Amino acid sequence: ALIIENLVKAVIAAHWPKLILAGSSRRAAEAGTMISALVKAALLDMDIAISVYLQAAEDERRKAAETLAAQQAERDHAVDELAKGLKNLAEHDLTYRITAELPESFRQLQADFNSAMAQMEEAILSVSRATDTINTGTAEISSASDDLSRRNESQAASLEETAAAVSEITTKVRQTAEGASRAREVVGAARTEAGKGADIGAHEAQLAGM
């Protein structure tokens, strides 16, 4: 506005005296043409300047949109990788690790997730090893129990056989004792009879001597 004002003033100042002295409309037309040309030039310059500003603003807006889109894409990528990790965790796969290149702001989360997965995997392996040891010990105890049970059964059978044999021996000994007792009775009776016979013979001898 200041430039146009000064230019218009300069044109009027340069042509005003000539317009008055000459008294010709041709001079007025020339002055009007010059002023019009100045205004057009000023407006053209203004249009160029505004266009440059608008283009710069559009470039900034586009860059901001691209930056925002890139950030959103990075966030989506990070979320997708984390979702994959959680899905594998839900499926009991503790060997999965996030190996993709993540944005700087998500790298600590990536490291923490991988560390947690490694710790859980080690814990589960420790439990598995302990379980294997317990199972091995249980199997050994079971085997020993089976052996002891078989030995007890064998010993019980042997004891039964021994008891039966002892019972049979006891029966035979009892029978032998009973037979011996009867034999003693028979012998005693025979001795008694023999004694009686001897006494009768002696008595008969005495009678014959008389």
Side-chain angles (χ1 to χ4, degrees):
L2 291 174
I3 292 173
I4 291 175
E5 180 184 1
N6 291 326
L7 288 175
V8 171
K9 287 179 179 180
V11 170
I12 295 299
H15 291 274
W16 185 255
K18 296 180 180 178
L19 292 174
I20 295 175
L21 294 175
S24 172
S25 60
R26 186 173 61 84
R27 294 287 185 176
E30 290 177 359
T33 300
M34 295 181 64
I35 294 173
S36 176
L38 288 174
V39 171
K40 289 179 180 180
L43 293 177
L44 177 61
D45 181 70
M46 185 183 298
D47 177 68
I48 293 173
I50 292 174
S51 298
V52 170
Y53 286 126
L54 291 177
Q55 185 62 43
E58 178 62 21
D59 292 341
E60 290 295 329
R61 187 199 64 77
R62 187 178 63 256
K63 289 180 182 179
E66 291 174 353
T67 301
L68 183 61
Q71 292 175 349
Q72 185 63 43
E74 290 178 348
R75 285 193 295 269
D76 292 343
H77 175 58
V79 170
D80 289 342
E81 290 297 325
L82 183 59
K84 290 179 184 177
L86 295 176
K87 181 175 181 293
N88 281 271
L89 176 60
E91 294 174 353
H92 308 129
D93 181 9
L94 300 180
T95 62
Y96 183 81
R97 301 292 184 272
I98 299 177
T99 57
E101 186 71 20
L102 296 185
E104 182 66 29
S105 57
F106 289 91
R107 289 178 184 172
Q108 184 60 47
L109 178 61
Q110 178 182 8
D112 293 341
F113 177 85
N114 289 340
S115 176
M117 292 288 282
Q119 292 177 14
M120 283 192 289
E121 181 182 13
E122 180 59 30
I124 295 299
L125 289 176
S126 298
V127 172
S128 178
R129 287 192 290 267
T131 302
D132 291 340
T133 301
I134 292 172
N135 290 335
T136 301
T138 303
E140 293 176 352
I141 293 172
S142 178
S143 177
S145 298
D146 292 340
D147 291 341
L148 180 60
S149 177
R150 286 192 294 271
R151 290 177 184 175
N152 289 336
E153 291 175 357
S154 177
Q155 290 176 357
S158 298
L159 288 175
E160 289 179 357
E161 293 175 357
T162 302
V166 169
S167 177
E168 183 179 356
I169 292 171
T170 302
T171 301
K172 290 181 178 180
V173 169
R174 186 181 298 113
Q175 292 173 352
T176 301
E178 292 176 351
S181 178
R182 286 194 297 272
R184 282 194 300 269
E185 291 176 354
V186 171
V187 171
R191 286 178 179 177
T192 301
E193 293 295 329
K196 289 179 179 181
D199 290 341
I200 293 171
H203 180 66
E204 290 178 352
Q206 288 177 357
L207 290 176
M210 292 174 63

